[in-house]
Amino acid sequence: MGHLTEGNDELLKRVRRIAGQVTAIEKALAAGTDCTTTLHLVAATRGAINGLMDEIIEEHVRAHVAHPDLPAEERAAGAEELIAVIRRYAK
Amino acid sequence: MGHLTEGNDELLKRVRRIAGQVTAIEKALAAGTDCTTTLHLVAATRGAINGLMDEIIEEHVRAHVAHPDLPAEERAAGAEELIAVIRRYAK
Amino acid sequence: MGHLTEGNDELLKRVRRIAGQVTAIEKALAAGTDCTTTLHLVAATRGAINGLMDEIIEEHVRAHVAHPDLPAEERAAGAEELIAVIRRYAK
Amino acid sequence: MGHLTEGNDELLKRVRRIAGQVTAIEKALAAGTDCTTTLHLVAATRGAINGLMDEIIEEHVRAHVAHPDLPAEERAAGAEELIAVIRRYAK
Protein backbone atom coordinates (compact mmCIF):
# COMPACT_ATOMS: atom_id res chain seq x y z
CA MET A 1 0.00 0.00 0.00
CA GLY A 2 1.78 3.11 -1.10
CA HIS A 3 -0.82 5.63 -2.18
CA LEU A 4 0.71 8.46 -0.20
CA THR A 5 3.07 9.29 -3.03
CA GLU A 6 6.09 11.51 -2.81
CA GLY A 7 5.03 15.04 -3.32
CA ASN A 8 1.75 14.70 -1.49
CA ASP A 9 1.71 18.43 -1.10
CA GLU A 10 -1.55 18.90 0.73
CA LEU A 11 -0.65 16.49 3.54
CA LEU A 12 2.86 17.92 3.75
CA LYS A 13 1.47 21.40 4.17
CA ARG A 14 -0.77 20.18 6.97
CA VAL A 15 2.07 18.51 8.82
CA ARG A 16 4.26 21.59 8.50
CA ARG A 17 1.51 23.71 9.98
CA ILE A 18 1.34 21.24 12.85
CA ALA A 19 5.11 21.55 13.32
CA GLY A 20 4.60 25.32 13.62
CA GLN A 21 1.89 24.79 16.22
CA VAL A 22 4.17 22.54 18.27
CA THR A 23 6.87 25.23 18.15
CA ALA A 24 4.33 27.73 19.47
CA ILE A 25 3.52 25.39 22.38
CA GLU A 26 7.22 25.08 23.17
CA LYS A 27 7.63 28.86 23.17
CA ALA A 28 4.58 29.30 25.39
CA LEU A 29 5.94 26.80 27.91
CA ALA A 30 9.43 28.32 27.82
CA ALA A 31 7.96 31.79 28.39
CA GLY A 32 5.88 30.68 31.36
CA THR A 33 2.59 31.49 29.62
CA ASP A 34 -0.48 30.80 31.75
CA CYS A 35 -1.96 27.34 31.53
CA THR A 36 -5.29 28.25 29.94
CA THR A 37 -3.55 29.89 26.98
CA THR A 38 -1.10 27.02 26.66
CA LEU A 39 -3.90 24.46 26.78
CA HIS A 40 -5.68 26.30 24.01
CA LEU A 41 -2.60 25.90 21.81
CA VAL A 42 -2.30 22.23 22.70
CA ALA A 43 -5.99 21.59 22.00
CA ALA A 44 -5.77 23.32 18.61
CA THR A 45 -2.78 21.15 17.74
CA ARG A 46 -4.69 18.04 18.70
CA GLY A 47 -7.50 19.15 16.41
CA ALA A 48 -5.04 19.59 13.54
CA ILE A 49 -3.60 16.12 14.13
CA ASN A 50 -7.07 14.62 14.08
CA GLY A 51 -7.69 16.41 10.79
CA LEU A 52 -4.48 14.94 9.37
CA MET A 53 -5.56 11.43 10.39
CA ASP A 54 -8.94 11.87 8.73
CA GLU A 55 -7.26 13.11 5.57
CA ILE A 56 -4.89 10.14 5.38
CA ILE A 57 -7.75 7.71 5.98
CA GLU A 58 -9.81 9.43 3.29
CA GLU A 59 -7.00 9.06 0.77
CA HIS A 60 -6.72 5.40 1.65
CA VAL A 61 -10.46 4.90 1.08
CA ARG A 62 -10.30 6.59 -2.32
CA ALA A 63 -7.13 4.90 -3.55
CA HIS A 64 -7.30 1.43 -1.99
CA VAL A 65 -10.91 0.60 -1.23
CA ALA A 66 -13.25 2.52 -3.50
CA HIS A 67 -11.21 3.13 -6.66
CA PRO A 68 -13.12 1.62 -9.63
CA ASP A 69 -10.00 0.12 -11.23
CA LEU A 70 -8.86 -1.95 -8.28
CA PRO A 71 -8.61 -5.71 -8.74
CA ALA A 72 -10.95 -7.52 -6.31
CA GLU A 73 -8.11 -8.85 -4.17
CA GLU A 74 -6.48 -5.46 -3.67
CA ARG A 75 -9.81 -3.92 -2.80
CA ALA A 76 -10.48 -6.62 -0.22
CA ALA A 77 -7.02 -6.08 1.29
CA GLY A 78 -7.52 -2.31 1.35
CA ALA A 79 -10.87 -2.74 3.12
CA GLU A 80 -9.35 -4.97 5.79
CA GLU A 81 -6.59 -2.42 6.42
CA LEU A 82 -9.19 0.31 6.69
CA ILE A 83 -11.27 -1.64 9.19
CA ALA A 84 -8.19 -2.39 11.28
CA VAL A 85 -7.32 1.31 11.32
CA ILE A 86 -10.84 2.36 12.36
CA ARG A 87 -10.87 -0.20 15.18
CA ARG A 88 -7.48 0.87 16.40
CA TYR A 89 -7.65 4.62 16.11
CA ALA A 90 -11.26 5.74 16.20
CA LYS A 91 -11.49 6.85 19.79
CA MET B 1 -28.38 2.45 2.03
CA GLY B 2 -30.05 -0.22 4.12
CA HIS B 3 -27.45 -2.83 4.96
CA LEU B 4 -28.35 -2.91 8.65
CA THR B 5 -31.07 -5.44 8.01
CA GLU B 6 -33.78 -6.38 10.43
CA GLY B 7 -32.52 -9.09 12.65
CA ASN B 8 -29.01 -7.72 12.87
CA ASP B 9 -28.57 -9.73 16.00
CA GLU B 10 -24.99 -8.89 16.85
CA LEU B 11 -25.59 -5.14 16.84
CA LEU B 12 -28.84 -5.54 18.73
CA LYS B 13 -27.08 -7.53 21.43
CA ARG B 14 -24.49 -4.79 21.76
CA VAL B 15 -27.08 -2.06 22.11
CA ARG B 16 -29.03 -4.05 24.70
CA ARG B 17 -25.85 -4.47 26.73
CA ILE B 18 -25.38 -0.70 26.52
CA ALA B 19 -28.96 -0.19 27.75
CA GLY B 20 -28.07 -2.36 30.76
CA GLN B 21 -24.97 -0.25 31.41
CA VAL B 22 -27.05 2.94 31.34
CA THR B 23 -29.47 1.41 33.84
CA ALA B 24 -26.50 0.65 36.10
CA ILE B 25 -25.40 4.30 35.90
CA GLU B 26 -28.89 5.43 36.82
CA LYS B 27 -28.96 3.10 39.82
CA ALA B 28 -25.51 4.30 40.93
CA LEU B 29 -26.63 7.91 40.77
CA ALA B 30 -29.91 7.20 42.55
CA ALA B 31 -28.05 5.34 45.30
CA GLY B 32 -25.57 8.18 45.84
CA THR B 33 -22.60 6.02 44.83
CA ASP B 34 -19.26 7.84 45.00
CA CYS B 35 -18.18 9.70 41.92
CA THR B 36 -15.12 7.60 41.04
CA THR B 37 -17.21 4.44 40.85
CA THR B 38 -19.94 6.20 38.90
CA LEU B 39 -17.42 7.65 36.46
CA HIS B 40 -16.02 4.18 35.89
CA LEU B 41 -19.48 2.99 34.83
CA VAL B 42 -19.93 6.00 32.56
CA ALA B 43 -16.51 5.53 30.94
CA ALA B 44 -17.19 1.85 30.31
CA THR B 45 -20.48 2.78 28.65
CA ARG B 46 -18.71 5.31 26.45
CA GLY B 47 -16.27 2.59 25.42
CA ALA B 48 -19.17 0.31 24.49
CA ILE B 49 -20.78 3.05 22.41
CA ASN B 50 -17.51 3.65 20.57
CA GLY B 51 -17.36 -0.07 19.86
CA LEU B 52 -20.89 0.03 18.47
CA MET B 53 -19.98 2.92 16.16
CA ASP B 54 -16.93 1.05 14.87
CA GLU B 55 -19.04 -2.03 14.23
CA ILE B 56 -21.67 -0.11 12.25
CA ILE B 57 -18.97 1.63 10.18
CA GLU B 58 -17.30 -1.71 9.53
CA GLU B 59 -20.55 -3.18 8.24
CA HIS B 60 -20.98 -0.19 5.99
CA VAL B 61 -17.46 -0.66 4.56
CA ARG B 62 -18.09 -4.34 3.84
CA ALA B 63 -21.57 -3.96 2.36
CA HIS B 64 -21.42 -0.60 0.58
CA VAL B 65 -17.82 0.19 -0.25
CA ALA B 66 -15.77 -2.99 -0.56
CA HIS B 67 -18.29 -5.63 -1.63
CA PRO B 68 -17.09 -7.18 -4.93
CA ASP B 69 -20.56 -7.21 -6.50
CA LEU B 70 -21.31 -3.50 -6.12
CA PRO B 71 -21.99 -1.47 -9.27
CA ALA B 72 -19.41 1.34 -9.63
CA GLU B 73 -21.91 4.06 -8.84
CA GLU B 74 -23.14 2.48 -5.63
CA ARG B 75 -19.57 1.89 -4.52
CA ALA B 76 -18.70 5.54 -5.15
CA ALA B 77 -21.75 6.68 -3.20
CA GLY B 78 -20.94 4.32 -0.34
CA ALA B 79 -17.37 5.66 -0.21
CA GLU B 80 -18.56 9.26 -0.02
CA GLU B 81 -20.92 8.41 2.83
CA LEU B 82 -18.09 6.67 4.64
CA ILE B 83 -15.75 9.64 4.24
CA ALA B 84 -18.45 12.01 5.49
CA VAL B 85 -18.96 9.80 8.55
CA ILE B 86 -15.23 9.64 9.33
CA ARG B 87 -14.90 13.40 9.08
CA ARG B 88 -17.88 13.99 11.27
CA TYR B 89 -17.48 11.39 13.94
CA ALA B 90 -13.84 10.37 14.19
CA LYS B 91 -12.70 11.61 17.55
CA MET C 1 -16.34 10.34 48.63
CA GLY C 2 -20.08 10.54 48.38
CA HIS C 3 -20.98 13.90 46.93
CA LEU C 4 -23.33 12.47 44.35
CA THR C 5 -26.14 12.42 46.86
CA GLU C 6 -29.43 10.65 46.48
CA GLY C 7 -31.78 12.88 44.68
CA ASN C 8 -29.18 14.31 42.35
CA ASP C 9 -31.96 15.24 40.01
CA GLU C 10 -30.01 16.95 37.27
CA LEU C 11 -27.69 14.00 36.70
CA LEU C 12 -30.59 11.56 36.90
CA LYS C 13 -32.46 13.49 34.23
CA ARG C 14 -29.41 13.35 31.99
CA VAL C 15 -28.99 9.62 32.38
CA ARG C 16 -32.68 9.01 31.71
CA ARG C 17 -32.40 11.00 28.50
CA ILE C 18 -29.43 8.83 27.56
CA ALA C 19 -31.52 5.72 28.25
CA GLY C 20 -34.11 7.10 25.81
CA GLN C 21 -31.41 7.66 23.20
CA VAL C 22 -30.20 4.07 23.57
CA THR C 23 -33.76 2.84 23.10
CA ALA C 24 -33.95 4.88 19.88
CA ILE C 25 -30.74 3.22 18.63
CA GLU C 26 -32.20 -0.19 19.39
CA LYS C 27 -35.38 0.64 17.48
CA ALA C 28 -33.40 1.96 14.53
CA LEU C 29 -31.35 -1.23 14.37
CA ALA C 30 -34.42 -3.45 14.75
CA ALA C 31 -36.17 -1.54 11.95
CA GLY C 32 -33.22 -1.87 9.58
CA THR C 33 -32.71 1.89 9.42
CA ASP C 34 -29.86 2.94 7.15
CA CYS C 35 -26.43 3.16 8.70
CA THR C 36 -25.90 6.92 8.37
CA THR C 37 -29.06 7.65 10.34
CA THR C 38 -28.21 5.03 12.93
CA LEU C 39 -24.67 6.38 13.30
CA HIS C 40 -26.08 9.83 13.88
CA LEU C 41 -28.11 8.49 16.81
CA VAL C 42 -25.09 6.65 18.20
CA ALA C 43 -22.86 9.74 17.90
CA ALA C 44 -25.45 11.92 19.65
CA THR C 45 -25.62 9.38 22.47
CA ARG C 46 -21.84 9.41 22.79
CA GLY C 47 -21.97 13.19 23.05
CA ALA C 48 -24.55 12.95 25.83
CA ILE C 49 -22.40 10.45 27.73
CA ASN C 50 -19.40 12.75 27.44
CA GLY C 51 -21.54 15.56 28.81
CA LEU C 52 -22.56 13.37 31.76
CA MET C 53 -18.90 12.59 32.52
CA ASP C 54 -17.99 16.27 32.46
CA GLU C 55 -20.88 17.04 34.79
CA ILE C 56 -19.88 14.38 37.32
CA ILE C 57 -16.25 15.56 37.25
CA GLU C 58 -17.40 19.15 37.73
CA GLU C 59 -19.42 18.20 40.79
CA HIS C 60 -16.40 16.39 42.16
CA VAL C 61 -14.22 19.49 41.67
CA ARG C 62 -16.74 21.71 43.45
CA ALA C 63 -17.48 19.38 46.35
CA HIS C 64 -14.17 17.62 46.96
CA VAL C 65 -11.34 19.79 45.64
CA ALA C 66 -12.36 23.43 45.60
CA HIS C 67 -14.93 23.72 48.38
CA PRO C 68 -13.71 26.37 50.86
CA ASP C 69 -14.71 24.36 53.95
CA LEU C 70 -12.72 21.23 53.14
CA PRO C 71 -10.05 20.15 55.60
CA ALA C 72 -6.60 20.11 53.93
CA GLU C 73 -6.38 16.33 53.93
CA GLU C 74 -9.72 15.80 52.25
CA ARG C 75 -8.90 18.42 49.66
CA ALA C 76 -5.58 16.71 48.89
CA ALA C 77 -7.34 13.35 48.55
CA GLY C 78 -10.02 14.85 46.31
CA ALA C 79 -7.34 16.38 44.08
CA GLU C 80 -5.52 13.08 43.71
CA GLU C 81 -8.77 11.34 42.75
CA LEU C 82 -9.46 14.06 40.21
CA ILE C 83 -6.01 13.76 38.64
CA ALA C 84 -6.36 9.98 38.43
CA VAL C 85 -9.71 10.39 36.69
CA ILE C 86 -8.35 12.90 34.16
CA ARG C 87 -5.41 10.63 33.33
CA ARG C 88 -7.64 7.65 32.91
CA TYR C 89 -10.61 9.06 31.09
CA ALA C 90 -9.59 12.22 29.25
CA LYS C 91 -9.87 11.26 25.62
CA MET D 1 -2.49 32.26 36.44
CA GLY D 2 1.16 31.62 35.76
CA HIS D 3 2.03 28.32 37.34
CA LEU D 4 3.80 27.02 34.24
CA THR D 5 7.00 28.72 35.24
CA GLU D 6 9.97 29.26 32.99
CA GLY D 7 12.17 26.27 33.17
CA ASN D 8 9.31 23.80 33.36
CA ASP D 9 11.68 21.15 32.15
CA GLU D 10 9.41 18.15 32.19
CA LEU D 11 6.77 19.76 29.97
CA LEU D 12 9.43 21.17 27.66
CA LYS D 13 10.94 17.72 27.21
CA ARG D 14 7.51 16.36 26.32
CA VAL D 15 6.85 19.02 23.74
CA ARG D 16 10.29 18.53 22.17
CA ARG D 17 9.62 14.83 21.83
CA ILE D 18 6.33 15.72 20.13
CA ALA D 19 8.23 18.02 17.73
CA GLY D 20 10.44 15.04 16.86
CA GLN D 21 7.36 12.90 16.22
CA VAL D 22 5.92 15.52 13.89
CA THR D 23 9.22 15.62 11.97
CA ALA D 24 9.00 11.84 11.60
CA ILE D 25 5.48 12.18 10.15
CA GLU D 26 6.74 14.77 7.68
CA LYS D 27 9.57 12.49 6.59
CA ALA D 28 7.22 9.56 6.19
CA LEU D 29 4.87 11.60 4.02
CA ALA D 30 7.74 13.02 1.95
CA ALA D 31 9.13 9.51 1.42
CA GLY D 32 5.79 8.11 0.28
CA THR D 33 5.57 5.69 3.21
CA ASP D 34 2.45 3.54 3.16
CA CYS D 35 -0.60 4.93 4.93
CA THR D 36 -0.86 2.36 7.71
CA THR D 37 2.68 3.13 8.88
CA THR D 38 2.09 6.87 8.57
CA LEU D 39 -1.18 6.63 10.49
CA HIS D 40 0.60 4.78 13.26
CA LEU D 41 3.02 7.71 13.61
CA VAL D 42 0.16 10.21 13.59
CA ALA D 43 -1.81 8.25 16.20
CA ALA D 44 1.24 8.02 18.48
CA THR D 45 1.70 11.77 18.19
CA ARG D 46 -1.94 12.34 19.11
CA GLY D 47 -1.42 10.16 22.16
CA ALA D 48 1.60 12.25 23.17
CA ILE D 49 -0.38 15.47 22.78
CA ASN D 50 -3.16 14.09 24.93
CA GLY D 51 -0.56 13.22 27.55
CA LEU D 52 0.78 16.77 27.43
CA MET D 53 -2.73 18.17 27.95
CA ASP D 54 -3.30 15.92 30.95
CA GLU D 55 0.03 16.98 32.42
CA ILE D 56 -0.74 20.69 32.07
CA ILE D 57 -4.20 20.22 33.60
CA GLU D 58 -2.67 18.24 36.46
CA GLU D 59 -0.21 21.05 37.22
CA HIS D 60 -3.08 23.51 37.20
CA VAL D 61 -5.03 21.40 39.70
CA ARG D 62 -2.04 21.15 42.05
CA ALA D 63 -0.99 24.81 41.84
CA HIS D 64 -4.28 26.67 41.45
CA VAL D 65 -7.07 24.53 42.85
CA ALA D 66 -5.76 22.14 45.46
CA HIS D 67 -2.70 23.89 46.91
CA PRO D 68 -3.21 24.27 50.70
CA ASP D 69 -1.84 27.83 50.80
CA LEU D 70 -4.23 29.34 48.24
CA PRO D 71 -6.50 32.18 49.37
CA ALA D 72 -10.16 31.21 48.97
CA GLU D 73 -10.73 33.58 46.07
CA GLU D 74 -7.81 32.30 44.04
CA ARG D 75 -8.87 28.73 44.65
CA ALA D 76 -12.39 29.49 43.49
CA ALA D 77 -11.04 31.18 40.35
CA GLY D 78 -8.69 28.26 39.65
CA ALA D 79 -11.59 25.81 40.00
CA GLU D 80 -13.74 27.75 37.53
CA GLU D 81 -10.88 27.79 35.01
CA LEU D 82 -10.43 24.06 35.47
CA ILE D 83 -14.11 23.34 34.93
CA ALA D 84 -14.15 25.50 31.79
CA VAL D 85 -11.15 23.58 30.44
CA ILE D 86 -12.73 20.18 31.14
CA ARG D 87 -15.96 21.21 29.42
CA ARG D 88 -14.12 22.55 26.42
CA TYR D 89 -11.44 19.98 25.87
CA ALA D 90 -12.50 16.68 27.39
CA LYS D 91 -13.05 14.43 24.41
Side-chain angles (χ1 to χ4, degrees), chain C residues 50 58 62 80 87 91, chain D residues 50 58 62 80 87:
Chain C
N50 282 324
E58 179 176 336
R62 293 193 195 284
E80 290 314 309
R87 289 200 174 164
K91 256 279 305 171
Chain D
N50 281 325
E58 177 176 337
R62 292 194 194 284
E80 290 314 309
R87 287 198 175 167

Side-chain angles (χ1 to χ4, degrees), chain A residues 12-89:
Chain A
L12 276 168
K13 269 183 216 160
R14 273 179 183 266
V15 78
R16 281 171 195 148
R17 271 198 300 272
I18 291 169
Q21 289 176 290
V22 173
T23 302
I25 297 169
E26 185 179 344
K27 280 183 190 162
L29 287 171
T33 304
D34 70 78
C35 104
T36 303
T37 305
T38 307
L39 271 174
H40 186 73
L41 296 173
V42 176
T45 308
R46 181 173 68 175
I49 291 209
N50 281 325
L52 177 65
M53 284 192 75
D54 291 353
E55 199 73 31
I56 295 175
I57 292 171
E58 178 177 336
E59 298 210 3
H60 176 74
V61 169
R62 293 194 194 284
H64 295 289
V65 188
H67 199 286
D69 301 341
L70 286 172
E73 252 168 80
E74 283 186 31
R75 189 190 311 284
E80 291 312 311
E81 284 180 321
L82 172 66
I83 287 165
V85 157
I86 287 169
R87 289 198 174 167
R88 189 157 178 188
Y89 299 127

Side-chain angles (χ1 to χ4, degrees), chain B:
Chain B
M1 183 167 76
H3 69 267
L4 300 175
T5 52
E6 264 189 84
N8 194 322
D9 290 338
E10 180 51 47
L11 291 174
L12 277 169
K13 268 184 216 160
R14 272 179 184 266
V15 79
R16 281 170 194 149
R17 269 198 301 272
I18 290 168
Q21 289 176 290
V22 173
T23 302
I25 297 170
E26 186 179 344
K27 280 184 191 162
L29 287 171
T33 304
D34 71 77
C35 103
T36 303
T37 304
T38 307
L39 271 173
H40 186 72
L41 295 174
V42 177
T45 308
R46 180 174 70 175
I49 290 209
N50 281 326
L52 177 65
M53 285 192 75
D54 291 353
E55 199 74 30
I56 294 174
I57 293 172
E58 178 176 337
E59 297 210 4
H60 176 73
V61 170
R62 294 193 194 284
H64 295 288
V65 189
H67 199 287
D69 300 341
L70 287 172
E73 253 167 81
E74 283 185 33
R75 190 191 309 287
E80 291 313 310
E81 285 180 321
L82 172 65
I83 286 165
V85 157
I86 287 170
R87 288 198 175 167
R88 190 159 178 187
Y89 298 127
K91 255 287 300 170

